[in-house]
Amino acid sequence: MALNKPDGGLRPIAIGETIRRLVSKCCCWLTSLQAKYIFGSLQVGVATQGGGEAVVHAVRKLADQFGHDPDRIMLKVDFSNAFNVVDRTEMLKQVHERVPGIYKWAEYCYSQPAHLFLGDMLLASMAGVQQGDPLGPLLFSLVLHPLVQRITKEFPDLDLNVWYLDDGVIIGHKNDVHKVFELIQEEGPRLGLHLNVKKNEIWWPSRSEPDPFPKEVERVPNCGVKLLGAPIGTVEFTTKFVSKKLDALKQVRQTRGCRRRSGRVRAVSGLSAYNKVDHLLRTCPPTVGPA
């Protein structure tokens, strides 16, 4: 199923057979403790409850502590279509080495191209993990993890190197963070991971020019940044962000009785709006409220 992305692209979601989904969910349960041991605090998108919230709070704490230092910077890493193009050979290799108990199942699901149907056309899916597969986050993270570990080993002075699936957050001194950017750009393609340079962002409360990053990398205003659906920055920036989400929730509530939209669409959009506000309640400072 092709779902629309906010930027206009398409997100292909695989809706698998019930038996396959059930087996994959059992594999997730079976490997949950192993995943925590493998990824530790570097990858919080797998087997870590509240991992995204932890990243937001960690970044806010570092911004409060070192925000006055213009030599520091935060890099938000963005890959191009990461889940759909990650290298399957490397993926199966990592599964065999790190979680061999589910290797046969992963091989069964991914060793042969899957058939994608578009009208009368037949496409062969030969790369990436299938978005919608319960095992997808684990399989993707296993491919990425050696690169994440290398960053930690080669740049021990970084303040933060943490990932929520394919969303990476790197904080440290400008030169170190720029070298991490170059490392990912150089080594990522071997794993099927290509930086979407224009969607990478750099931010810091006291960010100053010049910086060593390519001009294509977006410079986020010092007042604040959106990270994993939550605002980090000044009180004014955070309050304005929260107010917009509350306004969106009000609009959903006002249109719930509109008969021009199906009941299911109304329910999904309403649930999404409530979830976003609930996420803000867990990630924003308690002193922040609507404007």
Side-chain angles (χ1 to χ4, degrees):
M1 175 180 290
L3 300 182
N4 291 323
K5 289 184 177 181
D7 61 2
L10 293 176
R11 186 186 306 280
I13 302 297
I15 304 176
E17 294 177 323
T18 301
I19 296 299
R20 174 177 168 179
R21 290 183 59 82
L22 180 60
V23 173
S24 292
K25 283 181 178 290
C26 290
C27 289
C28 289
W29 175 82
L30 179 68
T31 59
S32 59
L33 292 179
Q34 287 177 278
K36 289 180 180 180
Y37 175 78
I38 293 169
F39 299 128
S41 60
L42 297 178
Q43 173 58 264
V44 297
V46 178
T48 304
Q49 187 174 5
E53 299 163 27
V55 174
V56 173
H57 289 303
V59 171
R60 182 176 288 116
K61 182 177 181 180
L62 287 171
D64 290 341
Q65 185 175 358
F66 301 113
H68 62 279
D69 183 0
D71 288 331
R72 278 184 167 85
I73 206 163
M74 183 186 88
L75 169 68
K76 283 177 59 179
V77 181
D78 187 273
F79 291 113
S80 296
N81 208 18
F83 270 66
N84 297 321
V85 297
V86 70
D87 185 82
R88 287 187 181 178
T89 301
E90 181 66 22
M91 178 187 75
L92 291 175
K93 173 187 173 184
Q94 291 297 326
V95 172
H96 188 269
E97 292 179 357
R98 295 177 181 269
V99 281
I102 65 169
Y103 175 75
K104 288 293 185 181
W105 178 247
E107 182 187 38
Y108 170 77
C109 294
Y110 286 99
S111 61
Q112 299 295 325
H115 290 169
L116 305 179
F117 297 94
L118 179 61
D120 295 330
M121 296 177 58
L122 175 63
L123 306 176
S125 173
M126 303 175 65
V129 298
Q130 295 164 350
Q131 297 188 60
D133 180 1
L135 270 177
L138 172 64
L139 299 178
F140 172 83
S141 298
L142 286 172
V143 178
L144 174 64
H145 195 59
L147 181 56
V148 177
Q149 287 182 306
R150 183 173 171 183
I151 292 171
T152 296
K153 182 178 180 180
E154 295 189 11
F155 302 94
D157 294 330
L158 288 174
D159 298 311
L160 189 67
N161 170 31
V162 65
W163 296 72
Y164 188 87
L165 301 179
D166 58 334
D167 292 316
V169 182
I170 313 295
I171 296 179
H173 289 278
K174 284 183 180 179
N175 290 336
D176 284 344
V177 176
H178 179 246
K179 290 177 182 177
V180 171
F181 175 86
E182 292 182 320
L183 175 64
I184 296 173
Q185 197 170 33
E186 180 180 347
E187 296 295 326
R190 180 179 62 82
L191 307 174
L193 299 171
H194 303 267
L195 279 182
N196 188 349
V197 177
K198 292 183 179 180
K199 287 192 175 181
N200 279 241
E201 299 176 359
I202 54 174
W203 172 80
W204 201 241
S206 58
R207 185 184 64 81
S208 60
E209 301 286 356
D211 59 64
F213 292 86
K215 63 180 181 179
E216 294 85 2
V217 176
E218 182 177 352
R219 273 72 175 168
V220 178
N222 296 24
C223 62
V225 65
K226 176 183 177 181
L227 178 65
L228 298 178
I232 299 176
T234 64
V235 173
E236 293 77 13
F237 173 84
T238 304
T239 300
K240 185 177 180 180
F241 187 99
V242 172
S243 296
K244 286 185 177 180
K245 297 300 181 183
L246 290 176
D247 289 341
L249 179 59
K250 289 178 183 177
Q251 290 180 352
V252 169
R253 294 181 62 184
Q254 291 171 357
T255 58
R256 289 185 71 178
C258 180
R259 295 183 180 276
R260 289 176 298 175
R261 302 171 65 192
S262 71
R264 177 164 177 78
V265 171
R266 289 200 306 273
V268 171
S269 61
L271 181 61
S272 175
Y274 277 108
N275 285 342
K276 289 178 180 178
V277 172
D278 184 52
H279 179 63
L280 292 176
L281 288 172
R282 297 194 302 270
T283 54
C284 289
T287 54
V288 173

